[in-house]
Amino acid sequence: MNSKIEKLKKLTQEQWEGLCQRCARCCYEKIDFNGHIFYTRIPCDQLDLETQRCQIYNERDQVRTDCQRLTPEVVEAGILPADCPYALLVDDYVGPSLGTETSNK
């Protein structure tokens, strides 16, 4: 396992929250297509687009059952943009594609 993931697991809640830059990109709908994650331009209905903050942050996974709290395991799964501070701590991280990106493979 990635040693940096192990370091993420040892962070306190305050340290964990301190990594976040509040960009809100993780609050946009994502599509998993054959194991590849793609971001859409559709924000969660609880995201305040002016402040880029969740309106129900402390209860988000109770109110929106499809909301995934960020954990080291979620980071390791590769659903965050590659320039996310959480993802930057993971060796050889491969982030999802934006919905407008295409591949010539």
Side-chain angles (χ1 to χ4, degrees), residues 25-104:
R25 289 184 294 166
C26 58
C27 297
Y28 281 74
E29 300 295 329
K30 294 163 248 356
I31 298 169
D32 182 340
F33 181 74
N34 293 331
H36 298 283
I37 305 294
F38 294 90
Y39 271 72
T40 71
R41 295 177 188 240
I42 304 167
C44 170
D45 62 347
Q46 297 300 322
L47 179 64
D48 181 323
L49 296 175
E50 286 187 33
T51 65
Q52 296 291 10
R53 303 287 175 119
C54 178
Q55 299 174 82
I56 56 165
Y57 186 77
N58 291 328
E59 304 85 34
R60 62 194 180 279
D61 53 349
Q62 287 102 25
V63 175
R64 289 269 326 238
T65 56
D66 60 335
C67 183
Q68 178 84 46
R69 284 191 186 256
L70 293 184
T71 65
E73 293 78 17
V74 169
V75 174
E76 190 173 34
I79 69 161
L80 300 174
D83 62 346
C84 174
Y86 296 101
L88 290 173
L89 296 175
V90 178
D91 295 331
D92 301 322
Y93 185 84
V94 177
S97 299
L98 298 175
T100 57
E101 292 180 358
T102 59
S103 174
N104 294 330

Side-chain angles (χ1 to χ4, degrees), residues 1 4-11 16 69-78 86 90:
M1 175 170 288
K4 292 184 179 181
I5 290 293
E6 291 304 315
K7 289 179 185 176
L8 283 177
K9 289 180 180 181
K10 294 178 182 175
L11 295 177
W16 177 264
R69 284 191 186 256
L70 293 184
T71 65
E73 293 78 17
V74 169
V75 174
E76 190 173 34
Y86 296 101
V90 178

